[in-house]
Amino acid sequence: MAFDCSCFFLVVLFSASCKVITSLDQMCTEKEANKTYNCENLGLSEIPDTLPNTTEFLEFGFNFLPTLHNRTFKRLMNLTFLDLTRCQINWIHEDTFQSHHQLSTLVLTGNPMIFMAETSLNGPKSLKHLFLIQMGISNLEFIPAHNLENLESLYLGSNHISSIKFPKDFPARNLKVLDFQNNAIHYLSREDMRSLEQATNLSLNFNGNDVKGIEPGAFDSTVFQSLNFGGTSDLSVIFNGLQNSTTQSLWLGVFDDTDDKDISSAMLKGLCEMSVESLNLQKRHFSDFSSTTFQCFTQIQELDLTATHLAGLPSGIKGLNLLKKLVLSVNHFDQLCQINAANFPSLTHLHIRGNVRKLNLGVGCLEKLGNLQTLDLSHNDIEASDCCNLQLRNLSHLQTLNLSYNEPLGLQSQAFKECPQLELLDLAFTRLHINGPQSPFQNLHFLQVLNLTSCFLDTSNQHLLAGLPALQHLSLKGNHFQDGTIMKTNLLQTVGSLEILILSSCDLLSIDRQAFYSLENISHIDLSHNSLTCDSIDSLGHLKGIYLNLAANSINIISSHLLPILSQQSTINLSHNPLDCTCSNIHFLTWYNENLHKLEGSEETMCANPPPLRGVKLTDVKLSCGITVVGIFFLIVFLLLFTILLFLAVKYLLRWKYQHI
């Protein structure tokens, strides 16, 4: 009976030894202490007192501030960035920002503005970026011109503007970006453009306006960084209106819902009357596609023909010796040879992504491109049993090759012998059949980045990555290891130069303590989305100062002897683990709150146990793992009863002994 009573009191004593204290969330999210805050969508009608006076970067969108005056933000004098998107602002009074001398970016997007005082933007000494998107503006005289001398970018998209004529006193001298996309601008006059003549190298965006007329001479002798007339149905209007102009980039693409006219070779002759380096004709249709189509492309250095419904390029195209970059994505080629690569002898960048039909690489289709440095052939359903030396013949200067998201590829030993200068190779989501025990990458002595995500590799082949002395970034994400374990002897031992290693989603259960011993230069390891437990942290004991991602694993209790390993890393992510928030894990929980500066994803790092704390952030939980008042009471009662029982037992023994003398 005495034993049963003792057990009862011990259970009561220690079951009451934990106390949980949760703290209240702050209203605004702090991104950088005392500087950067996000207060979006909190239903606020004023600036919270909790924001420090030192705030520099404030996102305050989707709140309620119908009127702005000089007291609204007066306390936050250090603001450099202020986002007031969709705050239902109707009025901005005089000198609202008079105390904000450092404000450089102001976002007023989506506010139904009725009135902006002429001096409403006075105060900032270097206001450079102003966003007035979707505000119902119909006339540029609505914009207060005072104090905009240093303005570099002005965004006026999705308004009701029909004329781009600025007031005479509008300071356009420092403008670099002027965005009018999705307005009602259908005609550009010489007088309109004269108001922008002070600006040099301007990027001017008329995307989505469907310009139907340009007065002759409106763009005469004007130099632009870029011109965007996307969505214009009749390109002859644009070419005629841009005569004698110069622009580095000209965007003339259309969208799926645009009813555009076909491009004819005669129409493209307008390019001969202007200077253009980069031309985009995305989603256009050609009515008579032939070698003469390109006769005025002689100055073009970059050409984008994405989704232009091409099944081939004509041979015999002359004069494209300056063309460096060609984009032929989302077209209808059957074979790579149909692009007639010999037309582009100076090409350094070729992109053919997402071809509508299954693309056959052919043999030597690109061998005339001896200067090619970047080749993107991703998302093309390419399939080859023996890749890639015959297909990539004579590409000895190739530095970047993307073959991701294709059908199965068979790789022999030294499969990329024709491309010895490769620095980046992307084979993600392409099933690879490695034919033979030797590495298909062994001649790539300059390769720095290798993406083998979800390639269904045989990771037990210890020679798979041999011959890559310069490799710095390796992704093995989505590949599986035998028995879910990275053994002491593994394929990583041949890539000691690695700095970044991605092993997420590999169904890992454990890692040998010496698995990463060869990675002396490693600075970033991603082990997220596996099934690792805290025991795997032991394998990282020799690593210091690294970024360590252990998110979405099976870690619950982290023993105290493992905490020094975590402490010696620079950044750790433990989010989405089933972490234990009881006194059994008190050492880790204490360490966690003392090392928040090292931790990433704290908003998603939550308790899984005990049930009352499930879903509570670790930062909001504090444990008091000592003897509580109730415990002390039961301890005293227990000791008192134990003393009484002991006294009675001794008395009984003495009486029994006396009776039997």
Side-chain angles (χ1 to χ4, degrees):
M1 178 67 182
F3 177 77
D4 291 341
C5 289
S6 300
C7 288
F8 170 76
F9 286 120
L10 286 172
V11 169
V12 172
L13 172 66
F14 290 105
S15 66
S17 63
C18 295
K19 183 180 180 182
V20 178
I21 305 170
T22 60
S23 61
L24 294 175
D25 287 334
Q26 291 184 348
M27 184 172 287
C28 296
T29 302
E30 183 180 77
K31 293 185 175 181
E32 184 180 356
N34 299 319
K35 288 187 177 182
T36 304
Y37 292 86
N38 186 319
C39 302
E40 291 182 333
N41 202 26
L42 295 176
L44 301 173
S45 58
E46 61 181 11
I47 302 301
D49 294 334
T50 53
L51 282 180
N53 295 343
T54 54
T55 300
E56 297 178 8
F57 193 105
L58 178 59
E59 296 171 313
F60 202 79
F62 302 92
N63 286 297
F64 183 67
L65 292 173
T67 302
L68 302 185
H69 45 74
N70 58 11
R71 296 184 303 277
T72 307
F73 307 101
K74 187 174 182 179
R75 186 171 58 83
L76 307 179
M77 297 175 62
N78 294 333
L79 281 176
T80 60
F81 178 97
L82 178 60
D83 186 348
L84 299 173
T85 297
R86 301 193 187 284
C87 284
Q88 302 180 51
I89 301 169
N90 300 130
W91 290 74
I92 302 182
H93 288 281
E94 293 84 355
D95 304 323
T96 294
F97 302 102
Q98 64 177 352
S99 303
H100 303 87
H101 303 306
Q102 301 176 53
L103 187 65
S104 64
T105 301
L106 177 61
V107 183
L108 295 170
T109 296
N111 287 289
M113 201 71 67
I114 297 174
F115 173 76
M116 290 182 73
E118 191 65 27
T119 60
S120 60
L121 299 178
N122 279 10
K125 294 181 179 179
S126 58
L127 187 62
K128 294 182 178 179
H129 312 290
L130 182 58
F131 293 78
L132 303 177
I133 301 168
Q134 208 172 36
M135 287 174 51
I137 298 173
S138 59
N139 193 315
L140 295 180
E141 292 185 357
F142 180 84
I143 304 169
H146 280 265
N147 199 40
L148 296 182
E149 290 80 9
N150 297 305
L151 198 65
E152 294 181 1
S153 58
L154 177 58
Y155 295 87
L156 294 163
S158 300
N159 282 292
H160 308 297
I161 299 167
S162 58
S163 170
I164 70 165
K165 183 181 179 181
F166 281 94
K168 289 183 179 180
D169 60 344
F170 189 87
R173 180 169 52 87
N174 291 313
L175 270 181
K176 300 299 179 187
V177 176
L178 184 53
D179 191 333
F180 286 107
Q181 66 175 316
N182 297 322
N183 274 281
I185 300 166
H186 302 305
Y187 185 78
L188 297 171
S189 69
R190 299 179 69 170
E191 189 177 1
D192 290 342
M193 298 304 301
R194 193 176 294 120
S195 64
L196 297 174
E197 62 186 3
Q198 297 178 29
T200 57
N201 291 318
L202 181 66
S203 293
L204 191 53
N205 188 353
F206 294 112
N207 193 19
N209 281 278
D210 194 14
V211 175
K212 299 182 182 300
I214 300 177
E215 184 179 355
F219 287 81
D220 264 5
S221 305
T222 314
V223 178
F224 294 91
Q225 179 68 24
S226 68
L227 289 172
N228 188 332
F229 288 94
T232 301
S233 57
D234 188 356
L235 285 188
S236 61
V237 171
I238 305 302
F239 289 127
N240 291 334
L242 295 184
Q243 288 185 16
N244 301 318
S245 66
T246 299
T247 180
Q248 182 172 326
S249 173
L250 179 59
W251 208 95
L252 299 175
V254 290
F255 313 103
D256 291 331
D257 58 350
T258 304
D259 184 17
D260 60 302
K261 294 183 179 180
D262 289 356
I263 300 177
S264 66
S265 298
M267 188 184 298
L268 290 171
K269 288 183 179 179
L271 285 170
C272 289
E273 305 300 324
M274 57 185 300
S275 177
V276 180
E277 292 185 8
S278 175
L279 177 63
N280 187 308
L281 295 170
Q282 171 183 302
K283 296 190 176 181
R284 292 283 182 180
H285 289 76
F286 291 90
S287 60
D288 54 343
F289 198 65
S290 65
S291 58
T292 59
T293 303
F294 298 90
Q295 69 180 80
C296 288
F297 284 54
T298 54
Q299 300 300 314
I300 301 292
Q301 297 182 27
E302 297 184 8
L303 178 60
D304 191 333
L305 296 174
T306 297
T308 45
H309 317 279
L310 301 177
L313 295 181
S315 59
I317 299 175
K318 304 294 183 182
L320 297 186
N321 296 327
L322 296 180
L323 190 66
K324 302 292 183 183
K325 180 178 179 180
L326 178 60
V327 182
L328 295 170
S329 301
V330 199
N331 278 296
H332 298 257
F333 306 114
D334 289 314
Q335 191 185 61
L336 194 56
C337 289
Q338 290 173 330
I339 73 168
N340 281 298
N343 292 320
F344 319 109
S346 303
L347 209 62
T348 58
H349 294 71
L350 176 60
H351 300 263
I352 306 177
R353 292 169 52 92
N355 196 61
V356 176
R357 301 173 183 172
K358 187 183 183 79
L359 186 64
N360 189 323
L361 288 180
V363 175
C365 295
L366 305 178
E367 62 183 344
K368 299 297 184 181
L369 303 181
N371 296 313
L372 199 64
Q373 298 175 11
T374 298
L375 177 59
D376 186 350
L377 295 172
S378 59
H379 297 269
N380 288 324
D381 293 331
I382 294 170
E383 185 173 1
S385 59
D386 186 4
C387 189
C388 297
N389 285 322
L390 290 175
Q391 296 87 343
L392 304 180
R393 193 162 61 203
N394 198 38
L395 300 185
S396 58
H397 290 94
L398 197 64
Q399 297 175 4
T400 299
L401 176 60
N402 189 346
L403 287 168
S404 62
Y405 293 91
N406 281 300
E407 294 298 310
L409 297 179
L411 301 181
Q412 308 288 345
S413 175
Q414 297 191 34
F416 301 94
K417 188 176 181 179
E418 292 286 331
C419 313
Q421 303 294 320
L422 273 181
E423 297 178 4
L424 186 151
L425 177 57
D426 191 346
L427 294 163
F429 297 95
T430 297
R431 183 185 288 266
L432 300 180
H433 297 299
I434 311 299
N435 302 321
Q438 298 301 315
S439 170
F441 315 112
Q442 58 185 322
N443 67 303
L444 301 179
H445 303 303
F446 300 99
L447 195 68
Q448 298 178 25
V449 180
L450 179 58
N451 189 350
L452 297 174
T453 297
S454 297
C455 288
F456 299 91
L457 297 171
D458 177 11
T459 55
S460 64
N461 181 357
Q462 297 178 26
H463 303 289
L464 180 64
L465 302 174
L468 298 173
L471 193 64
Q472 298 175 13
H473 185 134
L474 173 64
S475 176
L476 293 172
K477 178 181 178 180
N479 292 288
H480 302 297
F481 289 77
Q482 188 173 359
D483 299 324
T485 301
I486 301 180
M487 307 298 293
K488 174 182 177 182
T489 304
N490 58 69
L491 76 170
L492 299 174
Q493 292 180 318
T494 60
V495 284
S497 59
L498 269 188
E499 297 178 7
I500 299 174
L501 175 61
I502 312 297
L503 290 168
S504 57
S505 304
C506 290
D507 290 334
L508 291 174
L509 300 172
S510 63
I511 302 173
D512 188 273
R513 293 185 63 180
Q514 299 184 45
F516 298 143
Y517 266 35
S518 62
L519 305 180
E520 298 178 354
N521 299 317
I522 201 73
S523 61
H524 180 120
I525 296 183
D526 187 348
L527 293 165
S528 62
H529 297 277
N530 286 294
S531 299
L532 298 172
T533 62
C534 59
D535 294 336
S536 298
I537 297 176
D538 250 345
S539 64
L540 309 169
H542 66 292
L543 301 175
K544 295 181 180 180
I546 71 167
Y547 169 90
L548 176 60
N549 191 347
L550 289 168
N553 275 282
S554 300
I555 298 170
N556 50 15
I557 296 177
I558 300 179
S559 304
S560 57
H561 76 278
L562 297 175
L563 297 180
I565 297 176
L566 297 180
S567 295
Q568 65 193 23
Q569 312 310 336
S570 63
T571 305
I572 306 124
N573 191 329
L574 291 165
S575 61
H576 302 289
N577 275 288
L579 293 167
D580 190 290
C581 292
T582 67
C583 288
S584 301
N585 209 16
I586 185 61
H587 295 294
F588 165 71
L589 295 173
T590 302
W591 175 90
Y592 186 92
N593 283 289
E594 291 174 351
N595 290 272
L596 289 175
H597 61 285
K598 290 178 175 284
L599 295 161
E600 180 184 72
S602 56
E603 293 293 315
E604 291 81 37
T605 307
M606 302 177 183
C607 302
N609 188 51
L613 289 180
R614 186 172 295 137
V616 176
K617 293 185 294 186
L618 259 65
T619 52
D620 292 342
V621 175
K622 296 179 182 179
L623 296 183
S624 178
C625 294
I627 300 177
T628 63
V629 174
V630 176
I632 293 173
F633 170 77
F634 279 104
L635 178 61
I636 293 172
V637 172
F638 170 75
L639 291 175
L640 181 61
L641 290 174
F642 181 77
T643 302
I644 293 172
L645 290 172
L646 183 61
F647 174 77
L648 293 175
V650 171
K651 183 177 179 181
Y652 174 80
L653 287 173
L654 289 174
R655 182 182 295 175
W656 182 85
K657 184 177 181 181
Y658 178 77
Q659 290 176 350
H660 290 80
I661 292 177

